[in-house]
Amino acid sequence: MSFSTLLIGHESLLVQCGAMLLEAGHNIRGVVTRNPDVRNWAEGQSLTVYAPGSDLADRLSDTEFDWLLSIANLDLLPQRLLEQARKGAVNFHDGPLPRYAGLNAPVWALLNGETQHGISWHKITGGVDEGDIIAQRHVDISANDTALTLNTKCYGAAMDSFPDVIAALEAGIPNPHP
């Protein structure tokens, strides 16, 4: 079933996921970004672009959307904005939840000598990185991995798993994992 979204993020992962959403026939009602490359992509798709800011919820008060998707976004989103999403909000996190919540998860995994890491797509509820998991993928960490190469693996896992996220949103997220 088709749905509408508001995308918030500042990296190329948003562009990749946005393209998948459009290809699947979903409606993107706006893109919130401070990244000029993301802005250029959105404008090239004839999408409305918003700058982030403390008044974002006010500026979007007349914009209706089913799902808010926070993709490669480090800004905390105000509750009022989250509540505007009719069906809910979903975040991409570059770590396997709940083990690696918070910032710089790939770096912490490397510092802790992990041999495997992962990514999580989860509902935004309560505190940071606490919502139910919609999709998760694991990646192996090699002895030669750096923060950059591990983050690249995480972005690849995010793109590989995003079709599962789309399917879950189409179905209303029937089977989230606590």
Side-chain angles (χ1 to χ4, degrees):
M1 176 189 283
S2 183
F3 57 82
S4 60
T5 63
L6 175 72
L7 304 181
I8 300 178
H10 312 290
E11 300 295 334
S12 62
L13 181 59
L14 180 143
V15 171
Q16 301 300 318
C17 293
M20 286 186 233
L21 284 165
L22 292 173
E23 185 175 310
H26 299 292
N27 187 299
I28 299 173
R29 298 280 167 86
V31 175
V32 179
T33 190
R34 67 176 64 86
N35 181 310
D37 293 332
V38 174
R39 171 182 285 281
N40 290 340
W41 169 81
E43 289 172 346
Q45 299 297 314
S46 299
L47 301 173
T48 304
V49 179
Y50 301 91
S54 60
D55 65 339
L56 183 60
D58 290 331
R59 289 183 281 131
L60 289 167
S61 63
D62 293 334
T63 304
E64 294 184 355
F65 51 94
D66 296 318
W67 295 101
L68 182 152
L69 301 181
S70 175
I71 304 172
N73 168 47
L74 298 179
D75 299 331
L76 291 177
L77 302 173
Q79 187 63 34
R80 187 166 155 238
L81 180 62
L82 295 172
E83 290 169 356
Q84 285 178 241
R86 288 187 294 241
K87 295 184 179 181
V90 174
N91 182 56
F92 163 72
H93 179 66
D94 60 353
L97 293 175
R99 183 176 171 106
Y100 280 99
L103 294 175
N104 301 313
V107 174
W108 286 111
L110 290 169
L111 290 172
N112 290 334
E114 301 286 358
T115 58
Q116 194 173 67
H117 191 59
I119 60 95
S120 304
W121 293 94
H122 66 92
K123 290 183 76 174
I124 300 175
T125 56
V128 174
D129 298 332
E130 290 183 353
D132 288 347
I133 296 169
I134 298 166
Q136 197 168 55
R137 292 291 188 281
H138 295 283
V139 297
D140 291 330
I141 299 175
S142 74
N144 297 328
D145 271 325
T146 64
L148 176 62
T149 61
L150 183 52
N151 205 36
T152 300
K153 287 180 181 181
C154 288
Y155 271 40
M159 288 186 290
D160 289 345
S161 61
F162 195 66
D164 293 345
V165 174
I166 292 173
L169 297 180
E170 290 170 343
I173 311 180
N175 300 310
H177 309 258

